[in-house]
Amino acid sequence: MEGNTAFADHRDAAPAVLQRSHPTLHKHLFGPGPKRILSLDGGGVLGVIEIAFIEKIEAILRERTKNPRLVLSDYFDLIGGTSTGAIIATALAIGMTAKQVKNLYFDFAGAIFRRPRTSVPLVTPQFHAGALASKLYYILGDRQLRSEDLKTGLAIIAKRIDTGSPWVLTNNPRARYWEDPKPNPKTGKPDYIGNKRYKLRDLVRASTSAPFYFSPKKIRIVEDEPEGLFVDGGVSAYNNPSLQLLMLAGIKGYGFNWHIGKEDLLLISIGAGWARPRISLREGTRSWAALLAVKTLRSVIWDSHVNTLKLLQWISEPRRPWPIDTEIGTLQGEFLGIRLGGKELLTFQRYDLDFDPEWLKKETGEDVTKEEAAQLIDIMNPAVMPRVYELAVKSASSQVLVDDFPTAFDTSPRHRTILS
């Protein structure tokens, strides 16, 4: 039995004509036509921002296809995430509706982010990983990366710290390390365990093991050898995984081999809060060294995120670009392809919630003080989730437009006929 039966079927029974319309995993990964990618950032409990946006996306696509049962695993060919984004990505990839993911997520946060009585600040992890592992087992059971329950492509990003390398794990059977290799003649055993046999719950747990907050996750890489040690994928260049997902699609070594182009590849990237990490002079000079290191690491993660966004906006022309900094702005009109005589490399759009009070007032109509905004960006405080979700829903209503999903990326003509 692969998982809890409460989540064995994520939709009510649908008419056969609609059930046949759900694309197979093979079609998502290797079928002809344009491809669609959904990228989800890491960000602790602020993943509720992403949920607000996927709810809006799901509603738009259901209206667009006239299919009230459509889920995002029907539309997107690859859903990838880091940390909290990995939780949401995996839930979507096994066919959950946006509403189910929302209910799951709020339940997750309340159970996971409880400080154990034995926690010692700056010495032991702030939260008990057992609660997270228990929740992941409840949802994912013993499902592996090769599980047929995965309706579409899935990418989970973690950081292996015993080798110092980021790991991007996908359910692509053409990936280099998918299969178990033949036994090594010198050792008489395979050099590694094939990716297909990794358990989903272990990979998600690894991707969410934020240092300081949770203990690292051990995963067996080679039989009868010490495990690999993994931490949160956000402790890499891929807390915003959208650029890495683009590379997964286009670099031959990853095995996807998708076409790159404005009408060939759609990339939707969703963030978990736009807020530049700042450390005051007083805080920076009086904080404990360990605490200052943690806060500085957040700034490095932010820099990687902004650099990712900068490059993606440079090689595409998003309808609504985000400001990079005061020096170069949004890169509007700076499209790299103009200089190279080419076209956009993809269709790209980024959604996020900016915690700047002026932005929130303009975007949502809500009055948020600087003090409240500072409290709302606490990525490990479940108490902020209802308010953040409320703001994100209002922002999603104006940010997400049907035009962000061009007809060039509609599913095949046969699929459209079935849906009609």
Side-chain angles (χ1 to χ4, degrees):
M1 188 171 185
E2 281 205 308
N4 190 288
T5 54
F7 289 92
D9 185 3
H10 307 295
R11 286 168 285 196
D12 297 330
V17 66
L18 288 179
Q19 292 284 17
R20 288 199 304 271
S21 74
H22 301 313
T24 64
L25 175 60
H26 187 273
K27 180 179 179 181
H28 274 304
L29 296 180
F30 309 119
K35 297 298 182 183
R36 300 150 290 263
I37 301 174
L38 177 63
S39 173
L40 302 165
D41 287 14
V45 300
L46 299 185
V48 293
I49 296 171
E50 298 171 348
I51 289 171
F53 282 100
I54 66 174
E55 286 181 314
K56 180 64 175 179
I57 293 171
E58 183 187 79
I60 283 179
L61 293 176
R62 285 181 171 185
E63 174 63 24
R64 170 78 158 273
T65 61
K66 307 303 181 187
N67 179 1
R69 297 185 184 277
L70 178 143
V71 291
L72 295 189
S73 61
D74 295 332
Y75 182 81
F76 288 101
D77 302 291
L78 175 63
I79 304 176
T82 301
S83 193
T84 195
I87 296 175
I88 299 172
T90 304
L92 292 174
I94 62 175
M96 284 191 179
T97 66
K99 182 178 179 180
Q100 287 173 325
V101 175
K102 174 190 171 184
N103 294 339
L104 165 72
Y105 199 83
F106 273 86
D107 176 57
F108 252 54
I112 293 169
F113 295 105
R114 293 178 180 174
R115 299 184 188 277
R117 295 178 180 178
T118 56
S119 175
V120 180
L122 303 180
V123 177
T124 59
Q126 298 301 289
F127 304 101
H128 198 296
L132 173 59
S134 177
K135 285 293 183 181
L136 291 174
Y137 181 75
Y138 176 72
I139 300 302
L140 300 173
D142 288 323
R143 290 180 175 90
Q144 297 177 334
L145 201 54
R146 61 181 168 183
S147 172
E148 293 182 359
D149 288 344
L150 288 169
K151 313 300 183 184
T152 190
L154 172 66
I156 298 172
I157 298 175
K159 177 65 177 285
R160 185 178 175 186
I161 55 175
D162 61 305
T163 61
S165 56
W167 275 39
V168 183
L169 283 301
T170 74
N171 60 336
N172 180 1
R174 296 180 185 176
R176 179 174 180 180
Y177 297 107
W178 179 256
E179 299 287 350
D180 293 326
K182 295 180 180 179
N184 186 318
K186 294 182 179 180
T187 64
K189 61 182 181 181
D191 290 333
Y192 56 87
I193 297 170
N195 288 356
K196 67 181 183 181
R197 292 204 280 140
Y198 290 157
K199 292 180 179 178
L200 288 176
R201 69 171 190 263
D202 290 341
L203 298 181
V204 175
R205 162 77 172 87
S207 183
T208 55
S209 299
F212 181 74
Y213 298 110
F214 294 101
S215 59
K217 172 62 181 174
K218 296 178 182 178
I219 296 180
R220 182 77 61 187
I221 308 300
V222 183
E223 296 289 1
D224 302 322
E225 295 287 341
E227 300 100 326
L229 192 62
F230 291 83
V231 297
D232 196 302
V235 190
S236 72
Y238 310 131
N239 189 60
N240 174 348
S242 49
L243 180 58
Q244 176 59 40
L245 296 183
L246 172 61
M247 291 189 287
L248 276 179
I251 294 176
K252 292 182 179 180
Y254 288 121
F256 286 85
N257 251 343
W258 291 350
H259 292 293
I260 302 296
K262 184 177 182 179
E263 294 189 352
D264 292 307
L265 193 64
L266 170 67
L267 173 56
I268 299 295
S269 173
I270 309 179
W274 182 274
R276 186 184 302 275
R278 302 176 188 273
I279 302 174
S280 68
L281 176 62
R282 177 185 177 87
E283 189 178 15
T285 55
R286 297 189 179 186
S287 292
W288 289 2
L291 188 58
L292 181 61
V294 171
K295 293 182 177 180
T296 303
L297 177 60
R298 291 178 183 172
S299 183
V300 174
I301 294 172
W302 170 263
D303 292 342
S304 296
H305 155 64
V306 173
N307 199 51
T308 290
L309 195 56
K310 182 194 305 180
L311 180 57
L312 286 169
Q313 291 185 175
W314 198 27
I315 63 176
S316 66
E317 290 188 302
R319 173 186 58 80
R320 179 175 171 159
W322 284 77
I324 303 301
D325 56 38
T326 57
E327 184 173 12
I328 63 174
T330 65
L331 293 173
Q332 192 79 38
E334 288 277 351
F335 172 54
L336 180 62
I338 294 177
R339 303 181 186 182
L340 301 179
K343 298 180 179 180
E344 297 96 321
L345 297 185
L346 73 161
T347 296
F348 172 70
Q349 190 58 57
R350 169 78 174 182
Y351 306 128
D352 208 342
L353 183 72
D354 192 331
F355 284 102
D356 175 71
E358 292 185 9
W359 187 94
L360 288 171
K361 178 64 175 178
K362 180 179 179 180
E363 184 80 8
T364 70
E366 293 281 333
D367 290 311
V368 177
T369 65
K370 289 184 177 181
E371 291 74 20
E372 182 186 7
Q375 294 174 350
L376 292 178
I377 62 175
D378 186 347
I379 63 174
M380 297 296 171
N381 182 10
V384 307
M385 292 172 61
R387 177 61 168 157
V388 171
Y389 174 74
E390 176 188 19
L391 293 170
V393 167
K394 292 184 177 181
S395 184
S397 67
S398 61
Q399 283 193 54
V400 185
L401 302 180
V402 67
D403 291 344
D404 295 338
F405 304 89
T407 55
F409 295 98
D410 285 352
T411 46
S412 68
R414 178 177 178 274
H415 181 52
R416 290 199 299 271
T417 300
I418 291 175
L419 290 176
S420 63

